[in-house]
Structures are given as structure tokens and as C-alpha cells.
Amino acid sequence: MRALIAGAGRLGAQIAQVLAAAHHDVSLIDINPDRIAELSGSIAVPMRVGDACAPDFLEAAGAHGADLIIAATGRDDDNLVISLLAKRQFAVPRVAARVNNGENSWLFTSHWGVDVAVSTATPLVSLIEEATGATDTVALLRLSKAGVEVIETVITARSRTAGAALSDLVLPSGTVIATVVRDGQPAAPEPDMRLRPGDEVLLVSHRATEQDVQSAFQ
């Protein structure tokens, strides 16, 4: 799958990291050159600086060949324009858009080219602090075509894996660690990395359930 993500904020960066870990062809774009420079050493995906609301730039970034475009900027008006361009001008099969302001959610429909509207409270490689419930593990993104599920778990001071090296973890069958988000930044999962309270671990699995991951980490 070829995916183009517009918006290299925390959400966009996490989505890019996860999709790349699942062996998809991912590109990340952002209008802010400082943000792209900041991420250049931590995310191994192609990145470009430019305005995704501009059709010429979106085409140059690969919109014509994309299977999925995700509009994940911090502005709802930009996300709607990107979605409309993706669907109407580039005929992208799947378009997802982030809804920053819940009052605007009624706009994020097929009329604007949006197939999937993602609010800031919806788990799609979401910010874990927004997740609710009794468990610290939530399913983030199901890649139905690939049969892959992405699951996130947050390490707390009570987690039995706090302080453990990644190489010492016993993961459920068919599961790999995609990234560890520490202090808001995704990091490559090196074997000698030790988990700390506050770390957000994103895993890609063909088989494991949320409960399996909960048991492995918590």
C-alpha cells in the first residue's frame, strides 16, 4: 500500500512510523521545514516540505499513485481541502482526515472526499493520553488489506516491563515492536533500549489481541 500523510505533527509522525513498520510505502509531508528537519533523524520514511493544499505540490508528492491519503494537519480547513483534492482530483481510493474541532465533524463526509473521519479522541495511532478505560492498551489501526493490527500500550511505574530491555521481552507470536514514543518523539526500537514509565510502545501484529499485549507488558 502506498500512503501519503499530510501533517508531520505527533499524530502524523506516529502513523508514518507504524505504516512503515508494517512494510507499506509511506511518505510524510509538512509545510513547516523545521518540523521535517526535526523528524529527519528519527523516522525512516521519505519526507517533503510543502503545502498539501496546493494541487501541484500534492501531485509532486505522489498523490496520483497513492492508495491512501491521510490529512492529519492541525487545521480542519486544511484537512478538508486536502481530502477534497485527494478524492476529486487524484481519485485516491481511501482518504482519512483528522477532525481537530468536534464542532466541525459534520463537514467531514464524502461530500468533502472523506472516507474516514478521525477525531482527536478516536484511536487511530492516537495520543494515548486521550484513551480512556481500565486498560492502558488500545487497538489503534487495523490494516484490513494486510491483515495487520497495530496496538499501543503505555508503560507505567506499575508495569512489570518498566526497566526491562526490549531484547528481554517475550512478545506474543507474530508481533513486533514498531516504535517506542518517548517524550513525544518516536524512537527506533533498539534491542538494548530499556522501557521507562511514560513510554508508549506501538506494536504490529498479525495474531495478537489487545489482551495478549496487555498480559505481555503490564
Side-chain angles (χ1 to χ4, degrees):
M1 179 178 69
R2 297 184 64 183
L4 182 62
I5 301 168
R10 188 180 182 195
L11 181 66
Q14 287 189 354
I15 294 173
Q17 192 89 344
V18 167
L19 292 180
H23 307 294
H24 294 287
D25 183 357
V26 184
S27 296
L28 184 62
I29 59 181
D30 198 278
I31 199 170
N32 185 346
D34 292 336
R35 178 57 177 165
I36 293 297
E38 180 184 353
L39 291 174
S40 61
S42 59
I43 300 182
V45 303
M47 291 182 279
R48 299 174 65 118
V49 177
D51 184 0
C53 294
D56 290 347
F57 175 76
L58 205 56
E59 180 175 8
H64 266 309
D67 302 300
L68 168 69
I69 283 185
I70 301 174
T73 80
R75 293 176 56 96
D76 285 344
D77 52 350
D78 286 352
N79 290 341
L80 288 171
V81 170
I82 294 166
S83 298
L84 190 63
L85 287 172
K87 186 65 70 175
R88 301 289 173 84
Q89 184 156 340
F90 300 107
V92 177
R94 193 74 168 165
V95 178
R98 176 182 182 179
V99 183
N100 296 280
N101 184 342
E103 294 183 357
N104 296 330
S105 59
W106 65 277
L107 289 167
F108 286 74
T109 68
S110 58
H111 294 293
W112 279 92
V114 178
D115 295 309
V116 179
V118 183
S119 75
T120 55
T122 300
L124 175 86
V125 190
S126 62
L127 307 179
I128 193 63
E129 60 266 23
E130 295 176 1
T132 59
T135 176
D136 289 323
T137 306
V138 293
L140 296 178
L141 177 62
R142 289 171 175 81
L143 306 175
S144 57
K145 291 183 179 179
V148 172
E149 183 173 12
V150 178
I151 300 173
E152 182 182 38
T153 189
V154 176
I155 305 303
T156 71
R158 299 187 301 274
S159 301
R160 59 189 181 86
T161 51
L166 297 187
S167 59
D168 294 334
L169 300 180
V170 179
L171 299 178
S173 177
T175 303
V176 296
I177 296 175
T179 186
V180 176
V181 180
R182 178 172 291 171
D183 298 327
Q185 295 296 324
E190 301 293 342
D192 59 351
M193 176 184 284
R194 292 189 176 275
L195 294 176
R196 304 174 186 171
D199 284 350
E200 306 167 25
V201 184
L202 279 76
L203 304 100
V204 178
S205 182
H206 290 272
R207 302 178 184 176
T209 65
E210 297 172 36
Q211 291 74 21
D212 293 335
V213 172
Q214 172 80 358
S215 298
F217 282 84
Q218 304 300 334

